[in-house]
Amino acid sequence: MIDDLLELARALGASDVHIQSGCKAKFRIDGELQDHSEFIICYKKIIEWLRDVLDEKMLTKFKERGEVDFAYANNSDRYRVNAFKNHAGISIAVRVISHNLPNCEDCNLPNSVVNLARLESGLVLVTGP
């Protein structure tokens, strides 16, 4: 069920998915959170998914600390995940990793920064207040 939710999020162009046990899943699309009422995932389903995707070391960390960060891949799709316990049970925040890397123009980087990326040797420090 969570994998279906993640596939839908990617298809809709969501950057993030927010899941809280027993509540409507939320997608962040174009900076706005949107409810998706067809996906209400119970505590039990979240626990099952975490047991499927985490190794024993990470599962122990989650149980002891109440939160865990991990990378998740489903076929060629990749995600960064933070699972954490809270007053409502368990929540999961997922960042959808894009298949396409933006180029310098897409990021509106000034030429001075682009030129720094082209340097073949040396150390570049960027500092400031």
Side-chain angles (χ1 to χ4, degrees), residues 34-65:
Q34 301 177 8
D35 286 342
H36 283 273
S37 59
E38 68 269 21
F39 286 100
I40 298 176
I41 301 174
C42 69
Y43 179 89
K44 182 180 174 184
K45 290 290 183 189
I46 293 174
I47 289 293
E48 287 174 6
W49 185 76
L50 289 173
R51 286 185 181 139
D52 287 344
V53 301
L54 294 176
D55 62 24
E56 198 58 42
K57 182 179 176 183
M58 295 296 279
L59 198 53
T60 299
K61 181 179 177 181
F62 177 70
K63 290 175 183 176
E64 290 174 355
R65 297 184 183 175

Side-chain angles (χ1 to χ4, degrees), residues 4-5 19 27-29 37 41-42 49-50 61 63 67 72 77-78 84 86 88 91 93 101 107 111 115 128-129:
D4 296 335
L5 178 68
I19 302 167
F27 295 166
R28 184 175 304 279
I29 300 174
S37 59
I41 301 174
C42 69
W49 185 76
L50 289 173
K61 181 179 177 181
K63 290 175 183 176
E67 69 92 26
Y72 175 65
D77 297 334
R78 298 181 314 132
F84 56 96
N86 61 22
S91 293
L101 293 175
C107 295
N111 284 335
N115 291 336

Side-chain angles (χ1 to χ4, degrees), residues 71-124:
Y72 175 65
N74 184 15
N75 299 319
S76 64
D77 297 334
R78 298 181 314 132
Y79 308 90
R80 290 292 307 155
V81 182
N82 174 258
F84 56 96
K85 296 178 184 177
N86 61 22
H87 67 283
I90 298 177
S91 293
I92 301 174
V94 181
R95 170 61 51 99
V96 178
I97 306 298
S98 175
H99 290 284
N100 303 316
L101 293 175
N103 61 33
C104 294
E105 287 128 16
D106 293 339
C107 295
N108 295 319
L109 294 175
N111 284 335
S112 57
V113 173
V114 174
N115 291 336
L116 289 175
R118 292 188 177 125
L119 293 174
E120 294 181 18
S121 63
L123 173 66
V124 176

